[in-house]
Amino acid sequence: MSDAYAPLAEALGLLGELTGQPPGLLPEVVDAADLSHRTGIPVGVVVEMLSGGRAPEVCLAQRVRQRLDFIRETRRRPDGKRYSLDELARIAGTSRQWLSEWRKSGMPSLEHTDRLRRFFGLPPGFFTADEPEALCEALQPVLQSLEAEADPLLRLRECGLVRLAARAPQMNPRQLAALADLAEMIISAEHAGDAAGQGRS
């Protein structure tokens, strides 16, 4: 297995452990359409990779163009209509002519792709990350959620509240989740207060 697929294989192994499903059945326990929407990888390719297969090899320029087209097909304006090339060009901070050329054969600047990425709330590297890297990154929230379900005390431990977590076995999962939310809010507020205090000193 090439280095590019090693982190994905590790993530899929953990996903299999947490769900109790063999690799061939992983597409049945995760939302492949959502992973596709977040990565720009076609649903069929996501399903293939979740099953342990590989994505078709594409060069960087082709990947960038495919993901621009993917945005155009999957993202909609507030009125439900597709974004026009003129609108996408304005969002990217360029001309329609340049955007059309980019879609055919050119490569965009990092500045233009970053503007599009930020506007649509896409992850860093959306346009350039290869398929195994993009899918592995998109699986991380899924894995974190499954780990939290498997071990409700995990979030308390991650907040540094080991002693509190040790006293919590009598609580049900909903109570533990509420306690973890409260602890995270307190710690965030404390960190914000520390930062504000340092700013004044």
Side-chain angles (χ1 to χ4, degrees):
M1 181 160 296
S2 71
D3 289 343
Y5 280 86
L8 178 59
E10 189 176 323
L12 293 176
L14 180 55
L15 186 60
E17 287 175 25
L18 290 168
T19 60
Q21 296 292 334
L25 295 180
L26 288 180
E28 296 177 16
V29 296
V30 294
D31 188 344
D34 177 62
L35 291 170
S36 170
H37 189 77
R38 291 191 285 128
T39 60
I41 303 170
V43 175
V45 177
V46 169
V47 169
E48 177 67 21
M49 293 169 67
L50 288 172
S51 300
R54 292 174 173 257
E57 293 280 336
V58 294
C59 68
L60 179 60
Q62 185 181 354
R63 181 181 302 125
V64 171
R65 289 192 300 272
Q66 284 176 351
R67 294 197 182 157
L68 176 63
D69 287 339
F70 186 88
I71 285 176
R72 231 181 136 221
E73 293 301 320
T74 60
R75 271 48 176 193
R76 294 288 182 258
R77 298 183 335 197
D79 63 6
K81 295 181 181 175
R82 270 178 33 161
Y83 284 91
S84 69
L85 285 179
D86 284 327
E87 289 169 318
L88 287 177
R90 274 197 300 277
I91 293 165
T94 189
S95 67
R96 185 186 193 282
Q97 180 182 4
W98 181 90
L99 191 69
S100 297
E101 185 58 33
W102 167 21
R103 290 181 68 226
K104 290 179 197 164
S105 60
M107 281 290 288
S109 72
L110 291 176
E111 177 187 353
H112 295 145
T113 55
D114 198 53
R115 284 183 182 192
L116 283 170
R117 180 189 72 75
R118 289 177 186 276
F119 180 86
F120 289 107
L122 301 166
F126 175 85
F127 287 99
T128 56
D130 63 24
E131 287 73 11
E133 178 186 358
L135 183 57
C136 186
E137 187 63 30
L139 281 171
Q140 295 313 305
V142 176
L143 292 171
Q144 289 167 2
S145 174
L146 289 169
E147 285 174 332
E149 287 176 22
D151 181 3
L153 298 180
L154 180 64
R155 288 172 67 201
L156 292 176
R157 291 190 194 97
E158 287 176 347
C159 290
L161 302 176
V162 177
R163 280 178 290 183
L164 184 56
R167 295 179 188 156
Q170 302 84 1
M171 301 174 78
N172 67 41
R174 192 172 4 170
Q175 291 170 321
L176 287 170
L179 182 59
D181 287 338
L182 180 61
E184 287 172 357
M185 189 171 61
I186 292 168
I187 289 170
S188 294
E190 187 177 298
H191 288 315
D194 290 346
Q198 290 172 355
R200 287 193 296 268
S201 58

